[in-house]
Amino acid sequence: MLFYWFFTNFVPVKIILAIETSCDDTSASVCIDGKIASNVAATQVIHAKHGGVIPELASRAHDELIIPVILEALENANTSLDKINAIAVTEGPGLMGSLLVGVNVAKGLAFGLNIPIITIHHMHAHIMAHFIDEPIPDFPFLCLTVSGGHSQIVLMKSHFDLEILGNTIDDAAGEAFDKAAKLLGLPYPGGPYIDTFGKLGNHKKFTFSKPRIDGFNYSFSGFKTSLLYFLQKQDENFIVENLNDLCASVNYTIVEILLDKFKKAVKETGVKNVALAGGVSANSYLREMFKTYALNHKLEAFIPNFQYCTDNAGMIAITGWYKFLEKRFAANNFSPKARIPLITENL
Ligand code: KG4
Ligand code: ZN
């Protein structure tokens, strides 16, 4: 106890406060000397009844939630604003109104406290979530990042040197889950419902189209259309009577599409470490198939804890920590960006 008191009062520690407001989760986190001390996320429930995120409602909800969420993150980490050494904030990509709330609060705090600000690329942060808890992947590793807005295969050469091998050309994996769920009459966001009901069904019951495009890019439009046309041919009770099998088959198809390309990229690059990131990496079937694939091919698999898969400020905080160590600070006049390519030059 005495040691703890001495340590927290006299040994200089470096503390980062991080803010994430790129979409519909208002989140704040505190990182103390490279360890996540708190991670608070308020998911905006208001969008569920609209069947998708309404940007204007999202920014208003961020506005209301951001200060209480920051205060809770500070309290949970047993610290206070005057002890913070830098503020990390999501610069993009994301919804402009939502990003603006986080960025303006971050700028105000940085200015008021006279501390540096660190801008974070949201998709880089999803990958950097692997540096929060042990085991941490060695470089190089190949990351399959699957979220509501992106499906990417990224070769990580170091913390700030990466190469995108594959990208989505239409819907992202999360969008494919959410749109399929909508067709099945499930609430938004539908990915977790398909995951839950799918566990109870037979994934071989129905088959849906898989894309036949070259390279490592992803497409889900053919899958979506085949599901739509299939459902249109059925009678009105079909979905209710077959919901678990439909969810299992949808889940299976999306995961197969994701893993088919990823496996090809692993083969071509010859990497030995493989990682999953983004909201869809919370999917239990994807996690299981990913681990099995790695085991069968003598690869080391890395998957973040659940709380660091979907949008969270913990991943912003850890990325901020690594940027802080390299003094990668932003100019005070930066603005958020709805679109920002994930390239080494932007990190
Ligand atoms: O990374 P994320 O939280 O936000 C973005 O950056 O987009 O990802 C959200 C996406 C949503 O499309 C949601 O349906 C999906 O992740 N998702 C899941 C699961 N949990 C979240 N998809 C399938 N299975 C899940 N268990
Ligand atoms: Zn995300």
Coordinates of all heavy atoms in Angstrom, one line a residue, residues 132-173:
I132 N -2.7 -3.9 -26.7 CA -3.2 -3.6 -25.4 C -2.9 -4.7 -24.4 O -2.3 -4.5 -23.3 CB -4.7 -3.4 -25.4 CG1 -5.0 -2.1 -26.2 CG2 -5.3 -3.3 -24.0 CD1 -6.5 -1.8 -26.5
D133 N -3.2 -6.0 -24.7 CA -3.0 -7.1 -23.8 C -2.0 -8.1 -24.4 O -2.0 -8.3 -25.6 CB -4.3 -7.8 -23.5 CG -5.3 -6.9 -22.7 OD1 -4.8 -6.2 -21.8 OD2 -6.5 -6.9 -23.0
E134 N -1.4 -8.8 -23.5 CA -0.6 -10.0 -24.0 C -1.5 -11.1 -24.5 O -2.6 -11.2 -23.9 CB 0.3 -10.5 -22.8 CG 1.3 -9.6 -22.3 CD 2.5 -9.4 -23.2 OE1 2.7 -10.2 -24.1 OE2 3.2 -8.3 -23.0
P135 N -1.1 -11.9 -25.4 CA 0.1 -11.9 -26.2 C 0.1 -10.9 -27.3 O -1.0 -10.6 -27.9 CB 0.2 -13.3 -26.8 CG -1.3 -13.7 -26.9 CD -2.0 -13.1 -25.8
I136 N 1.2 -10.2 -27.5 CA 1.3 -9.2 -28.5 C 2.0 -9.7 -29.8 O 3.0 -10.4 -29.6 CB 2.1 -8.0 -27.9 CG1 1.1 -7.2 -27.0 CG2 2.7 -7.1 -29.0 CD1 1.8 -6.2 -26.1
P137 N 1.5 -9.5 -31.0 CA 2.1 -10.1 -32.2 C 3.4 -9.5 -32.5 O 3.6 -8.3 -32.4 CB 1.1 -9.8 -33.3 CG 0.2 -8.7 -32.8 CD 0.3 -8.7 -31.3
D138 N 4.4 -10.3 -33.0 CA 5.6 -9.8 -33.5 C 5.4 -9.3 -35.0 O 4.5 -9.9 -35.7 CB 6.7 -10.9 -33.6 CG 7.2 -11.2 -32.2 OD1 7.2 -10.3 -31.4 OD2 7.7 -12.3 -32.0
F139 N 6.2 -8.4 -35.4 CA 6.1 -8.0 -36.8 C 6.9 -8.9 -37.7 O 7.9 -9.4 -37.2 CB 6.7 -6.5 -37.0 CG 5.8 -5.5 -36.2 CD1 6.3 -4.9 -35.1 CD2 4.6 -5.2 -36.7 CE1 5.6 -4.0 -34.4 CE2 3.8 -4.2 -36.0 CZ 4.3 -3.6 -34.8
P140 N 6.6 -9.1 -39.0 CA 5.4 -8.6 -39.6 C 4.2 -9.5 -39.2 O 4.4 -10.7 -39.0 CB 5.7 -8.8 -41.1 CG 6.6 -10.0 -41.1 CD 7.4 -10.0 -39.9
F141 N 3.0 -8.9 -39.2 CA 1.8 -9.8 -39.1 C 0.7 -9.3 -40.1 O 0.8 -8.1 -40.5 CB 1.3 -9.8 -37.6 CG 0.8 -8.6 -37.0 CD1 -0.6 -8.2 -37.2 CD2 1.6 -7.7 -36.3 CE1 -1.1 -7.1 -36.6 CE2 1.1 -6.5 -35.7 CZ -0.3 -6.2 -35.9
L142 N -0.1 -10.2 -40.4 CA -1.2 -9.9 -41.4 C -2.5 -9.8 -40.6 O -2.9 -10.7 -39.9 CB -1.3 -11.0 -42.4 CG -2.0 -10.6 -43.7 CD1 -1.2 -9.5 -44.5 CD2 -2.1 -11.9 -44.7
C143 N -3.2 -8.6 -40.8 CA -4.4 -8.4 -40.0 C -5.6 -8.3 -40.9 O -5.6 -7.6 -41.9 CB -4.2 -7.1 -39.2 SG -5.6 -6.8 -38.1
L144 N -6.6 -9.1 -40.5 CA -7.9 -9.0 -41.2 C -8.8 -8.1 -40.4 O -9.2 -8.4 -39.3 CB -8.5 -10.4 -41.3 CG -10.0 -10.5 -41.8 CD1 -10.0 -10.0 -43.2 CD2 -10.5 -11.9 -41.7
T145 N -8.9 -6.8 -40.9 CA -9.7 -5.9 -40.1 C -11.1 -5.8 -40.7 O -11.3 -5.5 -41.9 CB -9.1 -4.4 -40.2 OG1 -7.7 -4.5 -40.0 CG2 -9.7 -3.5 -39.2
V146 N -12.1 -6.2 -39.9 CA -13.5 -6.3 -40.4 C -14.4 -5.5 -39.5 O -14.6 -5.8 -38.3 CB -13.9 -7.7 -40.5 CG1 -13.5 -8.3 -41.8 CG2 -13.4 -8.6 -39.4
S147 N -14.9 -4.3 -40.0 CA -15.8 -3.5 -39.2 C -17.0 -3.1 -39.9 O -17.3 -3.7 -41.0 CB -15.0 -2.2 -38.8 OG -14.9 -1.4 -39.9
G148 N -17.8 -2.2 -39.4 CA -19.0 -1.7 -40.1 C -18.7 -1.0 -41.3 O -19.6 -1.0 -42.2
G149 N -17.6 -0.4 -41.5 CA -17.3 0.4 -42.7 C -16.2 -0.1 -43.5 O -16.0 0.4 -44.6
H150 N -15.4 -1.1 -43.1 CA -14.3 -1.6 -43.8 C -14.1 -3.1 -43.7 O -14.4 -3.7 -42.7 CB -13.0 -0.9 -43.2 CG -13.0 0.6 -43.4 ND1 -13.6 1.4 -42.5 CD2 -12.4 1.3 -44.3 CE1 -13.4 2.6 -42.9 NE2 -12.7 2.6 -44.0
S151 N -13.5 -3.6 -44.8 CA -12.9 -5.0 -44.7 C -11.6 -4.9 -45.3 O -11.5 -4.5 -46.5 CB -13.7 -6.0 -45.6 OG -15.1 -5.9 -45.3
Q152 N -10.5 -5.1 -44.6 CA -9.2 -4.9 -45.1 C -8.2 -6.0 -44.7 O -8.4 -6.5 -43.6 CB -8.6 -3.5 -44.5 CG -9.4 -2.3 -44.9 CD -8.8 -1.0 -44.4 OE1 -8.3 -1.0 -43.2 NE2 -8.9 0.1 -45.1
I153 N -7.3 -6.3 -45.6 CA -6.2 -7.2 -45.3 C -5.0 -6.3 -45.2 O -4.6 -5.7 -46.2 CB -6.0 -8.3 -46.3 CG1 -7.3 -9.1 -46.3 CG2 -4.9 -9.2 -46.0 CD1 -7.3 -10.2 -47.4
V154 N -4.4 -6.2 -44.0 CA -3.3 -5.2 -43.8 C -2.0 -5.9 -43.4 O -2.1 -6.7 -42.4 CB -3.7 -4.1 -42.8 CG1 -2.6 -3.1 -42.7 CG2 -5.0 -3.5 -43.1
L155 N -0.9 -5.6 -44.1 CA 0.4 -6.2 -43.7 C 1.0 -5.2 -42.7 O 1.3 -4.1 -43.2 CB 1.2 -6.5 -44.9 CG 2.6 -7.0 -44.6 CD1 2.5 -8.4 -43.9 CD2 3.4 -7.1 -45.9
M156 N 1.2 -5.5 -41.5 CA 1.8 -4.6 -40.5 C 3.3 -5.0 -40.4 O 3.7 -6.0 -40.0 CB 1.2 -4.8 -39.1 CG -0.3 -4.3 -39.0 SD -0.4 -2.6 -39.2 CE 0.3 -1.9 -37.7
K157 N 4.1 -4.0 -40.8 CA 5.6 -4.2 -40.8 C 6.2 -3.6 -39.6 O 7.2 -4.1 -39.1 CB 6.2 -3.5 -42.1 CG 5.6 -4.1 -43.4 CD 6.1 -3.2 -44.5 CE 5.4 -3.6 -45.8 NZ 5.7 -2.7 -46.9
S158 N 5.6 -2.6 -39.0 CA 5.9 -2.1 -37.7 C 4.7 -1.3 -37.2 O 3.7 -1.3 -37.9 CB 7.2 -1.1 -37.8 OG 6.8 0.1 -38.4
H159 N 4.8 -0.6 -36.1 CA 3.6 0.1 -35.6 C 3.1 1.1 -36.6 O 1.9 1.3 -36.6 CB 4.0 0.8 -34.3 CG 4.2 -0.1 -33.1 ND1 5.5 -0.2 -32.5 CD2 3.5 -1.0 -32.5 CE1 5.4 -1.1 -31.6 NE2 4.2 -1.6 -31.5
F160 N 4.0 1.8 -37.3 CA 3.6 2.9 -38.2 C 4.0 2.6 -39.6 O 4.1 3.6 -40.4 CB 4.2 4.2 -37.7 CG 3.8 4.5 -36.3 CD1 4.7 4.4 -35.2 CD2 2.5 4.9 -36.0 CE1 4.3 4.7 -33.9 CE2 2.0 5.2 -34.7 CZ 2.9 5.1 -33.7
D161 N 4.2 1.4 -40.0 CA 4.5 1.1 -41.4 C 3.6 -0.1 -41.8 O 3.8 -1.2 -41.3 CB 6.0 0.7 -41.5 CG 6.4 0.5 -43.0 OD1 5.6 0.9 -43.9 OD2 7.5 0.1 -43.2
L162 N 2.7 0.2 -42.7 CA 1.8 -0.8 -43.1 C 1.5 -0.8 -44.6 O 1.8 0.2 -45.3 CB 0.5 -0.7 -42.3 CG -0.2 0.6 -42.3 CD1 -1.0 0.9 -43.6 CD2 -1.2 0.7 -41.1
E163 N 0.9 -1.9 -45.1 CA 0.5 -1.9 -46.5 C -0.8 -2.6 -46.6 O -1.0 -3.7 -46.0 CB 1.6 -2.8 -47.2 CG 1.6 -2.7 -48.7 CD 2.6 -3.6 -49.3 OE1 3.7 -3.9 -48.7 OE2 2.3 -4.1 -50.4
I164 N -1.7 -2.0 -47.3 CA -3.0 -2.6 -47.5 C -3.0 -3.6 -48.7 O -2.6 -3.1 -49.8 CB -4.1 -1.6 -47.7 CG1 -4.3 -0.7 -46.5 CG2 -5.5 -2.3 -48.0 CD1 -5.6 -0.1 -46.3
L165 N -3.3 -4.8 -48.5 CA -3.2 -5.8 -49.6 C -4.6 -6.0 -50.2 O -4.8 -6.3 -51.4 CB -2.7 -7.2 -49.1 CG -1.3 -7.1 -48.4 CD1 -0.9 -8.6 -48.1 CD2 -0.3 -6.5 -49.3
G166 N -5.7 -5.8 -49.4 CA -7.0 -6.0 -49.8 C -8.0 -5.0 -49.2 O -7.8 -4.7 -48.0
N167 N -9.0 -4.6 -49.9 CA -9.9 -3.7 -49.4 C -11.3 -4.0 -49.9 O -11.5 -4.8 -50.8 CB -9.6 -2.3 -50.0 CG -9.6 -1.2 -48.9 OD1 -10.4 -1.3 -48.0 ND2 -8.7 -0.3 -49.1
T168 N -12.3 -3.4 -49.3 CA -13.7 -3.7 -49.7 C -14.0 -2.8 -51.0 O -13.6 -1.7 -51.1 CB -14.7 -3.4 -48.6 OG1 -16.0 -3.6 -49.1 CG2 -14.6 -2.0 -48.1
I169 N -14.7 -3.4 -52.0 CA -15.0 -2.6 -53.2 C -16.5 -2.2 -53.1 O -16.9 -1.4 -53.9 CB -14.7 -3.3 -54.5 CG1 -15.4 -4.7 -54.6 CG2 -13.2 -3.5 -54.7 CD1 -15.3 -5.2 -56.1
D170 N -17.3 -2.8 -52.2 CA -18.6 -2.3 -52.0 C -19.0 -2.3 -50.6 O -18.5 -1.4 -49.8 CB -19.7 -3.1 -52.9 CG -19.4 -4.6 -52.9 OD1 -19.3 -5.2 -51.8 OD2 -19.2 -5.2 -54.0
D171 N -19.7 -3.3 -50.1 CA -20.1 -3.3 -48.7 C -18.9 -3.8 -47.8 O -18.2 -4.7 -48.2 CB -21.3 -4.2 -48.4 CG -22.6 -3.5 -48.9 OD1 -22.6 -2.3 -49.2 OD2 -23.6 -4.3 -49.1
A172 N -18.8 -3.3 -46.6 CA -17.9 -3.9 -45.6 C -18.5 -5.1 -45.0 O -19.8 -5.4 -45.1 CB -17.6 -2.9 -44.6
A173 N -17.7 -5.9 -44.3 CA -18.2 -7.2 -43.7 C -19.4 -6.9 -42.7 O -20.4 -7.6 -42.7 CB -17.1 -7.9 -43.0

